[in-house]
Amino acid sequence: MASSRILVIGGTGRIGRHLVAASLNAGHPTAVLVRPATAGAGADDPVRAKLLEELHNHGARIVNGDIKDHESLVAAMEHADVVISAVGHTSPEEVESQLKIMRAIQDTGNVKRFVPSEYGCNLELADQMLEPARSILGAKLRVREALRASEIPHTIICSYWNHGFLLPKAGDPEADGPPVTRVTIFGDAMFVNEKDMSTVTIKAVDDPRTLNKVLHVRPPANLCSLHQLVSLWERKIGKNLEKCYILEEELTRKVQTSPFPLNFQLAMVHSTLLAGVPSAACEQITVGGDDASDNCNDNEVEATELYPSMNYVSVEEYINGLIV
Ligand SMILES: NC(=O)c1ccc[n+]([C@@H]2O[C@H](COP(=O)([O-])OP(=O)(O)OC[C@H]3O[C@@H](n4cnc5c(N)ncnc54)[C@H](OP(=O)(O)O)[C@@H]3O)[C@@H](O)[C@H]2O)c1
């Protein structure tokens, strides 16, 4: 059977680049839809232009287009069996621009699977989060609901906290880098490496078991309390850190007074780590506990069960890689 042709929208982003790499590594003909200002000579951002050159050198086809330009979307999708979105979350509008992608998928008629830009926590309790997380995750939820209503074949990836976001700062979005003398401790979290999440996504796009499902990526060994994370850092740097514990009221105040994107990151920390809102999905898994599939309803599947031979980068391995 011919390998599915994959189109990634948002392939120059922090998450999208891993999805493009995983698609190429799995041997899929892979295209990346890129805004003209991002690609080619005279590109706005030299770092993204260089990234695109690397993706091209690894075999990706670069296609000019824009989510806001329907014709360009339809033209790019005519050569795609699978569309993966990795658009960002700078605003609810950016998230909801994916409704335009869905309209183009419906007009094209040949796309067999769509993966919307999620790659985070489950969204059911988004309305209980602090702003701006409530609006941004609320927009993700509206895209999810529109997707279900549209009958576009899809898979939604819930991969919780990416390694690259909180681990290098020992769990504190406000930190400038790794902890040196003191550290702020929030709570527990599921940490999944971006490359592993991308490998799982590419496996899932051709898998009938993930059709129209939420696919959770919850390797039990990657559920880590922030206390464990700080202990790992202490072992690695060979000294004890001064521990600061933050009260919920103080964290709420910081969310309300910080600029974007820090306020979004702190609001996610508030919901996931402190208030335990969407971590409910993580709490269902206990390390060494019951089969993860027992915790999924009919609309949900668990990557560790579908792809049991997959090895996941652990929190400790990731931190080891950060320290030279
Ligand atoms: N769980 C976690 O810890 C975690 C962490 C980070 C992100 N995420 C999630 O991962 C997803 C991607 O986020 P990110 O941080 O990787 O995003 P990002 O770095 O901001 O990248 C956004 C991408 O979307 C593209 N894009 C935006 N508007 C476009 C348009 N009109 N037409 C075509 N392309 C457009 C951008 O292209 P240009 O290069 O042209 O700007 C860029 O490639 C989001 O859903 C986010 O919530 C999860």
Side-chain angles (χ1 to χ4, degrees), residues 105-291:
I105 289 175
Q106 285 171 319
D107 283 359
T108 315
N110 54 277
V111 172
K112 297 178 187 65
R113 196 75 69 97
F114 174 52
V115 180
S117 186
E118 287 224 8
Y119 320 113
C121 63
N122 215 347
L123 302 174
E124 260 59 17
L125 300 167
D127 62 347
Q128 293 179 32
M129 295 181 183
L130 297 176
E131 290 292 5
R134 185 190 306 164
S135 300
I136 290 171
L137 271 64
K140 284 192 174 186
L141 194 53
R142 285 193 291 283
V143 170
R144 215 191 246 201
E145 286 163 355
L147 188 51
R148 285 179 175 146
S150 72
E151 297 185 359
I152 292 171
H154 62 270
T155 300
I156 290 161
I157 308 293
C158 283
S159 50
Y160 304 89
W161 292 96
N162 293 161
H163 275 178
F165 173 42
L166 278 183
L167 294 189
K169 301 172 172 188
D172 181 359
E174 281 193 290
D176 295 334
V180 179
T181 54
R182 67 206 293 270
V183 63
T184 303
I185 298 183
F186 295 100
D188 293 354
M190 174 68 72
F191 294 101
V192 177
N193 192 269
E194 294 81 343
K195 289 184 183 154
D196 292 339
M197 181 280 288
S198 300
T199 303
V200 165
T201 302
I202 299 303
K203 285 181 188 291
V205 295
D206 286 325
D207 187 340
R209 297 171 299 175
T210 63
L211 180 63
N212 299 337
K213 307 271 185 197
V214 175
L215 174 58
H216 295 277
V217 189
R218 294 179 294 199
N222 287 39
L223 179 60
C224 179
S225 80
L226 269 279
H227 278 284
Q228 287 170 309
L229 176 57
V230 170
S231 301
L232 282 174
W233 269 106
E234 288 179 328
R235 280 221 305 278
K236 298 306 160 206
I237 63 178
K239 67 177 179 185
N240 289 336
L241 295 160
E242 182 194 340
K243 323 277 184 308
C244 307
Y245 295 88
I246 188 160
L247 296 173
E248 182 173 0
E249 305 86 76
E250 193 190 340
L251 182 53
T252 302
R253 190 187 53 73
K254 277 177 187 282
V255 172
Q256 289 162 348
T257 55
S258 300
F260 188 85
L262 180 60
N263 59 354
F264 174 75
Q265 294 165 354
L266 288 167
M268 292 304 298
V269 165
H270 176 273
S271 64
T272 310
L273 305 182
L274 190 85
V277 178
S279 70
C282 299
E283 283 159 11
Q284 292 168 344
I285 291 193
T286 48
V287 176
D290 294 341
D291 185 341

Side-chain angles (χ1 to χ4, degrees), residues 9-17 33-35 38 48 65-68 86-90 94 97 117-121 140 159-162 165 264:
I9 301 176
T12 54
R14 275 164 301 190
I15 299 298
R17 64 192 67 183
L33 182 105
V34 185
R35 288 188 271 199
T38 307
R48 291 205 169 189
D66 192 314
I67 295 170
K68 293 175 183 150
V87 301
H89 58 212
T90 52
E94 183 177 3
S97 70
S117 186
E118 287 224 8
Y119 320 113
C121 63
K140 284 192 174 186
S159 50
Y160 304 89
W161 292 96
N162 293 161
F165 173 42
F264 174 75

